[in-house]
Amino acid sequence: MPLRRLSFLLLAALPLGAQDAALGLKVQALIPMSDLRDLTNGQLGVGGYLFVEIPVGEGLLFRPTVGAQHIPKGNTLGLAGTQTSVSSVDFMVDALWFPNDDTKRGPYLVGSLGGQQWRVSATGTSPSATSATRLGLAGGVGYQVSAHLGVEAKGFWSPIEKNLTATGLLLGATWRF
């Protein structure tokens, strides 16, 4: 599904929980694994997102998000003199389940599904550039510290191309307004 269509679907979902919806920000650190680690020599990445949390039942929230993440240039393993950076623009929908039914405080499980526009750019002795729009999946755990502040850890997966899969760990914090 093209990212343009997905973004329109996310915007269309906003009125569903207009009365109880909460706007927020999410910042995260990205720890690359496998293919991403090899491409960037283990460089850590960062990400930032805007979101809307929509209550859909007791202890269940949907959180459409739009944002980006970036891993700065790192020496590509196996290609001397080549540095590669990786970035993505993401349109995701998170589902948060609070087993204690209190969405203002306590632990939760989070799962994410959506579209990611990946850009892999290499400079140096083996320059190249790749762009691809792919499905992204993530899942993990979180803890809502207060009505405004939450922290979460998620694993993520997205196939960029046939021999390149984005996997890693995301450690983040959310702030509800």
Side-chain angles (χ1 to χ4, degrees), residues 82-172:
T82 301
Q83 291 192 319
T84 304
S85 67
V86 179
S87 59
S88 71
V89 175
D90 308 335
F91 295 99
M92 306 290 281
V93 176
D94 301 341
L96 286 71
W97 176 63
F98 292 79
N100 63 359
D101 293 335
D102 181 5
T103 60
K104 303 292 184 208
R105 185 175 301 278
Y108 61 90
L109 297 176
V110 59
S112 307
L113 173 70
Q116 296 181 287
Q117 173 66 48
W118 289 98
R119 172 108 174 121
V120 180
S121 184
T123 59
T125 57
S126 297
S128 66
T130 301
S131 281
T133 302
R134 299 288 186 255
L135 173 70
L137 300 172
V141 296
Y143 191 84
Q144 193 65 37
V145 178
S146 69
H148 298 287
L149 178 65
V151 293
E152 54 189 47
K154 298 191 296 188
F156 71 91
W157 174 89
S158 182
I160 298 174
E161 29 179 53
K162 185 177 180 181
N163 295 321
L164 177 58
T165 302
T167 57
L169 182 63
L170 303 169
L171 302 173

Side-chain angles (χ1 to χ4, degrees), residues 30-45 71-77 84 86 167:
L30 184 151
I31 302 168
M33 295 181 182
S34 191
D35 295 341
L36 285 184
R37 183 181 52 231
D38 293 345
L39 275 178
T40 62
N41 201 22
Q43 288 280 87
L44 296 179
I71 302 172
K73 286 185 181 177
N75 295 323
T76 304
L77 296 179
T84 304
V86 179
T167 57

